[in-house]
Amino acid sequence: MLAGVLACPAIAHAAPPLSLGITPVFLDSDLLLLRDLEAELSRRAGSRVQLVRKRTYRDITDALLAGQVTAAWICGYPFVRHRDRLALVAVPLWRGRPLYQSYLIARADLPAATLADLRGRSHAFSDPDSNSGWLVTAHALARAGTTPRNFFARSFFTYGHRNVVRAVDAGLADSGSVDGYVWEVLAETEPHLVERTRVLARSAWLGFPPVACLAADADSQGVRRLRDALVGLPADAHGRALLSQLRLDGFTDAPPALFDPIGRLAAEVVA
Amino acid sequence: MNWARPYRWPLAVRVPLLVAALLVAVSVVVSQVVLSRLAAEQQRRVAGLADAYLDGVSAALHAALVRRDVWEAFDVVDRARSSFQALPLVAAAALLPDGTVLAATDPRRLPVGSRYADADRVADDAPLAPLQEPRAIVARAVHDGGVFIGRVVIELDLSAELAARQRAGTALFLLNAMLTLLFATLGWWLVRRMLAPVRLLSAHLAASGERPSPLPDAAIGRVGGEFKNLFARFNAMARAVEEREALAARLAEEERLAVLGRLASGVAHEVNNPLGGMLTAVDTLASHGADPAVRAQSVGFLRRGLSDIRNVVRASLVLYKAAPTGADATPEALDDLRHLAGPEARRRRVRLTWNNRLDAPVQADTTLLRQIALNLLLNAIAASPPEAEVRVTIETVPGLLLVRIADQGPGLPADVAAMLDRADAQPPAGRTGLGLWTALSVAHRLGGRIRRLPAATGTTLELEVPLARRPLAHAA
């Protein structure tokens, strides 16, 4: 997927423009939603905020680490892998908590009840740098003494949680690893897409994919304005409407320790 | 109507059938053209869409085929399907060079890694075949730097196109059938309408019998165009025939009266001759009646004289009865002709040689027979020069009565002789030949004929009348 910069309504601001990287963990299929988010953040930050889309987590993480974007909405897994260089800007609140789950889904007609029943099947992962779309399942298999390559007959990455659901729905894969938040929102907004899938297993509650910045920029004015814009979204009707479209309750400050469980999963898989 | 011979069917049947046949032929040709054009248009449209789809998808799949990226390949073919909704796509698949499926729009039917069932049937870059089967497969090879890296295969469901053609064919058939029926009915009605004057004329002729009569003016008023002229000419012809027949009848009557006049003259002469002697005998009786010998001689003279007069008068009375009597002809009745024609022959100093070979009555109408024979005999006498001979021979052969009359005249004029050869001879324009025409007409009524026999000099005519036959029913 090509990187792109979304068009933004011309806003004359004195402050320098900000950029926020977006990854497929987000519902990036809805361009109108992204345009609204960009406009709302720009209004609140007092300067233009550009949303920068990348195809993979690695792409957006690399852009963040290279200082090409002010902040990026990344996954908890890259955050813990680069924890020494990154800092949290804000963490989304879903159903009142900064937490979410990874779902193991399968075709509705597949005679399987647990992960073990998926042996020899095909499996769709979201992204090799995704917690819910890779790490959780890889961790479960590691604990069972195997790896995705050995356990599944075939596995592939779709580079998008929505794509994982599409792949399982179409029968391209028998099962998939997907962000539980994304699956739940799709079940509400695009029920036809999930009706031929079912959830086999849900992971423990883990830190919701955060908005992060370079640790060196954590106290910069740009990062502060962006954090204020995100945290302040529930303060007025515009912000609440936007959050409603995102099916989120808001953004909050959270300690990096929120992602320690993910760090432990990663450590066990690597081991 | 003879149904086994169509060329003898009435026009009112043949023309609508011809129209129907032509319409069927035209509709078959038109339907074929329309359906083949429709098929060509469908093929062009589907082939165009398939080409556009394959062009776009094969380019988009290039990277996925190189990397063998299942998801990317699926994403491309799946998204493209929604972009080509006009294409009747059943499935699209990205195949690896070995024919296995990298990804397909319907992974449940075409699972990743399975061998594409129709891989051997797929011909890369072959044009779309004519749309005959409900399913078609089109493929496009994908190369990278000249290396074959895979192909895109699409399966098309053409049942809608075939059904559309079927519907079009059915609609054409129904429309053509309706048009054929309509035009055949219209043709039948029009031809019947156009031929109505012909039917009218035919019915009129059938009702008129042998003698055509003019059509009523009301009938002429109802038709137009050529038929108006035709009816007018027909009426003119019918009136001419009527006038001609009336003229002929009048001429025949005049001829009869002329013959009668000549006969009356002869009869008067015949009666007058003995009258002088008879008056003398009466005077002798008055003066010398007392003498038995004189009385007997005078009475005998008177008896013979009166007997001659009686013979002449009786023959005249019998001859000119208007209608046939149906009585058989006796030898004596025919001999009467000699008495009737005798005075005219003597007046013209013509010798009459009489040879009646009949010895018994024959079954032929005596009145009509004597009319004919007398006519011919008087004609022969009239045509003969003085001192010439007219020979009459009457005889029978099996089934026929023959009356032969030979004269030594100059022969028959050509136009009069021509009447003998025609059964439907028209009356002559002038008086010449009228007697012969009258004799011919009566001979025909008797079922007989008059023919000319070869003769060294003069004319020999032979009346031939069939025996044991009654005269025809109708009167002249």
Side-chain angles (χ1 to χ4, degrees):
Chain A
M1 189 70 68
L2 296 174
V5 176
L6 292 176
C8 177
I11 302 171
H13 294 291
L18 305 174
S19 55
L20 177 65
I22 298 291
T23 71
V25 71
F26 194 68
L27 300 170
D28 64 345
S29 62
D30 194 335
L31 295 178
L32 286 175
L33 177 59
L34 293 179
R35 193 187 65 185
D36 290 347
L37 175 62
E38 196 172 53
E40 184 62 17
L41 290 178
S42 298
R43 188 175 67 81
R44 290 178 173 277
S47 67
R48 183 179 176 188
V49 176
Q50 291 180 336
L51 296 186
V52 179
R53 300 174 72 203
K54 297 287 186 182
R55 178 170 180 256
T56 66
Y57 284 102
R58 179 165 301 236
D59 291 341
I60 201 67
T61 305
D62 288 349
L64 179 60
L65 292 173
Q68 293 172 345
V69 292
T70 310
W73 195 344
I74 59 173
C75 181
Y77 182 31
F79 177 72
V80 298
R81 282 172 62 186
H82 302 284
R83 188 166 175 174
D84 53 336
R85 295 184 60 195
L86 298 177
L88 291 174
V89 177
V91 180
L93 287 169
W94 180 48
R95 295 178 178 173
R97 294 191 298 170
L99 301 174
Y100 80 129
Q101 289 172 296
S102 168
Y103 284 2
L104 179 66
I105 62 171
R107 279 169 26 208
D109 59 345
L110 194 72
T114 65
L115 175 62
D117 296 331
L118 300 179
R119 179 183 292 277
R121 300 281 183 179
S122 58
H123 191 85
F125 289 111
S126 175
D127 191 293
D129 289 329
S130 166
N131 170 53
S132 59
W134 159 255
L135 182 61
V136 170
T137 302
H139 174 261
L141 291 175
R143 290 190 117 183
T146 184
T147 63
R149 178 184 292 272
N150 293 327
F151 183 75
F152 296 117
R154 181 184 305 102
S155 65
F156 55 87
F157 295 100
T158 66
Y159 301 99
H161 292 294
R162 188 174 182 276
N163 289 345
V164 170
V165 180
R166 276 178 63 202
V168 177
D169 170 74
L172 187 68
D174 295 319
S175 57
S177 300
V178 67
D179 185 324
Y181 153 74
V182 173
W183 192 91
E184 294 292 349
V185 173
L186 287 176
E188 187 183 336
T189 57
E190 297 178 82
H192 64 277
L193 203 57
V194 301
E195 66 187 8
R196 289 196 293 179
T197 70
R198 63 190 174 93
V199 178
L200 281 191
R202 293 177 171 82
S203 72
W205 290 98
L206 299 166
F208 203 99
V211 178
C213 65
L214 282 173
D217 297 335
D219 294 323
S220 68
Q221 188 184 14
V223 170
R224 280 204 309 275
R225 281 195 281 126
L226 204 53
R227 178 187 295 119
D228 291 345
L230 289 168
V231 174
L233 279 173
D236 63 19
H238 280 101
R240 286 195 294 274
L242 185 66
L243 288 170
S244 173
Q245 289 185 66
L246 289 166
R247 286 357 184 232
L248 293 175
D249 301 317
F251 286 81
T252 185
D253 292 323
L258 180 67
F259 298 95
D260 286 350
I262 295 176
R264 285 194 289 276
L265 295 180
E268 289 184 30
V269 169
V270 171
Chain B
M1 188 164 66
N2 190 343
W3 291 104
R5 296 179 177 177
Y7 58 88
R8 291 193 176 173
W9 294 354
L11 274 178
V13 174
R14 276 190 289 161
V15 170
L17 284 179
L18 197 62
V19 169
L22 284 173
L23 272 172
V24 167
V26 168
S27 62
V28 165
V29 172
V30 169
S31 300
Q32 284 299 319
V33 170
V34 168
L35 290 178
S36 61
R37 287 292 299 272
L38 177 61
E41 179 61 27
Q42 285 179 334
Q43 187 189 9
R44 193 190 62 75
R45 187 182 65 82
V46 174
L49 284 169
D51 275 347
Y53 179 91
L54 288 171
D55 286 346
V57 168
S58 59
L61 274 177
H62 186 273
L65 284 169
V66 169
R67 292 199 300 267
R68 305 199 169 192
D69 188 323
V70 171
W71 168 255
E72 191 175 341
F74 172 78
D75 196 37
V76 167
V77 293
D78 191 48
R79 286 181 190 277
R81 181 169 56 178
S82 60
S83 303
F84 284 83
Q85 290 186 343
L87 187 66
L89 194 67
V90 176
L95 302 185
L96 294 172
D98 62 358
T100 57
V101 176
L102 177 62
T105 51
D106 184 2
R108 293 169 197 270
R109 188 170 71 81
L110 300 170
V112 176
S114 64
R115 180 168 172 75
Y116 184 64
D118 292 317
D120 298 333
R121 282 206 303 136
V122 173
D124 289 328
D125 306 322
L128 182 65
L131 312 187
Q132 300 294 346
E133 302 294 329
R135 181 156 294 203
I137 298 175
V138 191
R140 174 71 54 84
V142 184
H143 295 86
D144 181 39
V147 177
F148 177 56
I149 58 171
R151 61 169 61 92
V152 189
V153 175
I154 55 174
E155 297 177 359
L156 302 174
D157 177 11
L158 304 175
S159 54
E161 278 71 15
L162 296 182
R165 261 151 61 185
Q166 180 75 35
R167 285 196 301 274
T170 304
L172 277 172
F173 174 79
L174 290 176
L175 178 65
N176 288 330
M178 282 171 54
L179 284 177
T180 301
L181 192 62
L182 176 68
F183 280 105
T185 308
L186 197 62
W188 172 80
W189 181 78
L190 281 175
V191 171
R192 264 190 72 81
R193 191 178 161 82
M194 283 192 285
L195 292 180
V198 176
R199 285 201 309 279
L200 175 69
L201 187 59
S202 177
H204 179 76
L205 284 173
S208 299
E210 291 181 352
R211 186 180 300 165
S213 60
L215 289 158
D217 289 341
I220 299 178
R222 284 201 299 272
V223 298
E226 297 91 339
F227 285 111
K228 199 173 192 69
N229 293 334
L230 178 66
F231 280 15
R233 285 175 188 161
F234 173 82
N235 277 3
M237 186 190 74
R239 289 196 183 96
V241 169
E242 279 182 345
E243 287 168 4
R244 193 161 185 166
E245 287 199 344
L247 176 66
R250 196 167 66 245
L251 288 175
E253 182 62 19
E254 285 177 8
E255 172 68 7
R256 200 170 71 93
L257 293 175
V259 170
L260 195 59
R262 278 186 284 165
L263 274 179
S265 164
V267 167
H269 184 73
E270 259 333 83
V271 170
N272 190 49
N273 277 345
L275 278 182
M278 288 165 72
L279 286 173
T280 303
V282 169
D283 289 343
T284 303
L285 277 177
S287 307
H288 310 286
D291 184 344
V294 171
R295 189 171 64 239
Q297 187 181 10
S298 296
V299 168
F301 191 86
L302 282 171
R303 181 172 288 119
R304 285 195 300 276
L306 286 171
S307 177
D308 286 347
I309 290 170
R310 185 189 66 189
N311 286 343
V312 169
V313 170
R314 188 185 61 198
S316 299
L317 285 174
V318 171
L319 180 66
Y320 279 92
K321 286 182 178 173
T325 60
D328 290 345
T330 61
E332 295 75 19
L334 292 173
D335 276 342
D336 282 348
L337 297 175
R338 185 180 188 183
H339 299 297
L340 288 170
E344 179 68 4
R346 281 190 291 279
R347 191 174 68 80
R348 298 184 69 95
R349 287 182 292 144
V350 170
R351 189 153 37 88
L352 200 57
T353 304
W354 197 260
N355 184 11
N356 185 354
R357 294 174 184 166
L358 296 188
D359 52 7
V362 293
Q363 292 183 323
D365 187 279
T366 186
T367 306
L368 298 178
L369 191 59
R370 291 201 307 179
Q371 268 189 29
I372 304 167
L374 182 62
N375 236 321
L376 297 178
L377 184 54
L378 289 177
N379 277 351
I381 291 169
S384 297
E387 309 306 332
E389 180 188 24
V390 170
R391 290 194 309 278
V392 177
T393 307
I394 303 171
E395 62 181 346
T396 57
V397 295
L400 292 174
L401 169 68
L402 303 177
V403 178
R404 204 157 43 246
I405 298 168
D407 65 47
Q408 294 174 322
L412 290 175
D415 55 339
V416 175
M419 289 193 300
L420 295 173
D421 301 326
R422 295 174 54 189
D424 58 343
Q426 297 297 307
R431 189 161 289 277
T432 306
L434 194 59
L436 183 58
W437 179 79
T438 307
L440 268 174
S441 300
V442 180
H444 290 157
R445 286 180 55 197
L446 283 175
R449 62 176 178 167
I450 298 171
R451 58 188 182 132
R452 186 166 56 162
L453 299 181
T457 57
T459 302
T460 302
L461 295 180
E462 184 179 72
L463 167 67
E464 184 182 292
V465 177
L467 298 178
R469 283 187 61 180
R470 297 293 105 187
L472 299 178
H474 58 271

